[in-house]
Amino acid sequence: MHRNEHPLLPEDVVLNTSLIFKALADPTRIKILYLLSREECSVNHIAKVLGMSQSAVSHQLSYLRNMK
């Protein structure tokens, strides 16, 4: 069989899906996203709940924001 005979996902779908999995590949980011899905939280609140520094939380939030 030739490649053209198999339906493939469009490249933009493949890229966007891989970016989502990359963003979710870190347990801390999953925890942050879960907290944010439950309530609006400040960086200070997230840091306190997760036992992290505000700087570390800000870094993770920045990463997620850049990943959209």
Side-chain angles (χ1 to χ4, degrees), residues 17-66:
T17 304
S18 70
L19 290 175
I20 290 168
F21 279 106
K22 185 176 179 181
L24 295 175
D26 184 279
T28 300
R29 289 193 289 266
I30 293 173
K31 291 174 186 177
I32 290 171
L33 288 170
Y34 177 74
L35 283 174
L36 292 172
S37 75
R38 306 291 291 168
E39 62 183 287
E40 194 171 308
C41 302
S42 67
V43 172
N44 186 43
H45 179 74
I46 295 169
K48 186 175 180 180
V49 170
L50 298 182
M52 299 173 62
S53 70
Q54 289 183 13
S55 175
V57 171
S58 291
H59 175 75
Q60 294 296 339
L61 288 170
S62 176
Y63 182 88
L64 289 168
R65 183 174 35 255
N66 289 336

Side-chain angles (χ1 to χ4, degrees), residues 3-17:
R3 184 174 187 229
N4 294 347
E5 295 176 22
H6 296 283
L8 298 174
L9 290 171
E11 282 302 311
D12 63 326
V13 173
V14 172
L15 178 61
N16 288 335
T17 304

